[in-house]
Amino acid sequence: MSDSAQPTGFVSLVSAGPGDPELLTLKAARRLAEAEVVLFDDLASGPVLQQVGPGAELIAVGKRAGRPSAKQEHVNALLVSHAQAGRRVVRLKSGDAGIFGRLEEELLALTEAGIPFEIVPGVTSASAAAAAAGIPLTRRLTARRVQFVTGADVTGELPEDINWAAIADPAVTTVVFMGQRSFPKLAQGLRAHGLPGSTPALFAESVGHPDQRLLRTTVDELAQMMEGAQVVQPGLILYGPLAFGTGTAGKG
Ligand SMILES: C[S@@+](CC[C@H](N)C(=O)[O-])C[C@H]1O[C@@H](n2cnc3c(N)ncnc32)[C@H](O)[C@@H]1O
């Protein structure tokens, strides 16, 4: 490198976990402490940001349903320009960075710009929700598969190309991300494809935050509850042969 060339920085794409700072990995906490710039999502704000060292620049680039948010191209451009200025950049993403988090777009932008990066995996809200409710995501005989699906496409509506046979499979634990608004329609489709409305369901809101709420119910009851409901907090819906009654975590 010539003396006048800027040293290339480095980008760590860091998983913030569901919100509880104790669910950050040690590596995530270290990257936050050493960062010079942190670009964070709305869902990756709050107490986890206390791990950021003094003097680091904090940039909110939140994308939250129904609220104004930074465009993906803008986030990509910020990542690239801060790294090209030779800085240690952390891109903090909620839950596990590789699950419904537009990670691929950011990796492509970094690769195209020739910027070195790493991905720091973490605790997805799906496993945090199951843990908070005291249930496993898989069960030895009754739920040999677990699937993570999205309840919203880019327009916020239920995706049109849903694999109904897969998501109405009664022998699977299904976790629906971003699915509160569309759940009544999803539940209708599930019933039409043979999944009983009495199938156990868990609604897990604000997992890992002080206002965490867990509701053990059924697919039908939850669909009724979600009809016309305002979505304010992040929430997950789990349904399938859930092991309610196994543990006592999160009761009350
Ligand atoms: C853009 S996705 C990101 C998912 C994230 N990468 C993960 O692994 O949890 C955002 C959705 O994840 C779910 N979510 C994220 N954090 C949550 C939390 N703390 N409690 C409940 N749901 C959460 C909600 O369904 C929310 O709409």
Side-chain angles (χ1 to χ4, degrees), residues 22-23 37 97 208 240 244:
E22 297 210 312
L23 293 179
V37 191
F244 289 160

Side-chain angles (χ1 to χ4, degrees), residues 87-103:
R87 306 172 91 184
R88 273 196 306 274
V89 183
V90 163
R91 172 70 176 106
L92 190 64
K93 298 172 87 70
S94 77
D96 179 86
I99 298 175
F100 299 126
R102 304 256 188 126
L103 181 63

Side-chain angles (χ1 to χ4, degrees), residues 18-19 43 94-97 99-101 123-126 176-180 204-209 234-236:
L43 290 178
S94 77
D96 179 86
I99 298 175
F100 299 126
V123 177
T124 174
S125 55
V176 189
F177 289 72
M178 298 165 281
Q180 289 120 296
E205 193 178 65
S206 296
V207 175
H209 294 261
L236 286 171

Side-chain angles (χ1 to χ4, degrees), residues 41-67:
D41 284 341
D42 222 16
L43 290 178
S45 54
V48 288
L49 291 179
Q50 286 165 11
Q51 302 296 321
V52 177
E57 186 182 350
L58 283 168
I59 306 174
V61 292
K63 291 193 225 59
R64 189 128 165 211
R67 301 198 196 162

Side-chain angles (χ1 to χ4, degrees), residues 99-153:
I99 298 175
F100 299 126
R102 304 256 188 126
L103 181 63
E104 189 175 356
E105 285 93 323
E106 295 174 12
L107 297 181
L108 281 172
L110 294 172
T111 305
E112 270 169 25
I115 290 162
F117 64 82
E118 66 174 350
I119 301 170
V120 179
V123 177
T124 174
S125 55
S127 46
I135 58 170
L137 280 172
T138 58
R139 298 180 79 185
R140 194 165 53 83
L141 296 174
T142 51
R144 290 193 172 118
R145 189 155 64 84
V146 59
Q147 57 190 358
F148 294 170
V149 303
T150 174
D153 63 14

Side-chain angles (χ1 to χ4, degrees), residues 14-94:
V14 174
S15 302
D20 176 352
E22 297 210 312
L23 293 179
L24 278 170
T25 62
L26 291 176
K27 191 179 258 191
R30 191 170 306 131
R31 292 297 183 269
L32 287 172
E34 292 169 352
E36 293 168 289
V37 191
V38 179
L39 282 81
F40 63 97
D41 284 341
D42 222 16
L43 290 178
S45 54
V48 288
L49 291 179
Q50 286 165 11
Q51 302 296 321
V52 177
E57 186 182 350
L58 283 168
I59 306 174
V61 292
K63 291 193 225 59
R64 189 128 165 211
R67 301 198 196 162
S69 60
K71 289 259 181 302
Q72 185 63 52
E73 303 78 58
H74 177 58
V75 179
N76 297 350
L78 281 176
L79 280 174
V80 169
S81 64
H82 283 291
Q84 281 173 338
R87 306 172 91 184
R88 273 196 306 274
V89 183
V90 163
R91 172 70 176 106
L92 190 64
K93 298 172 87 70
S94 77

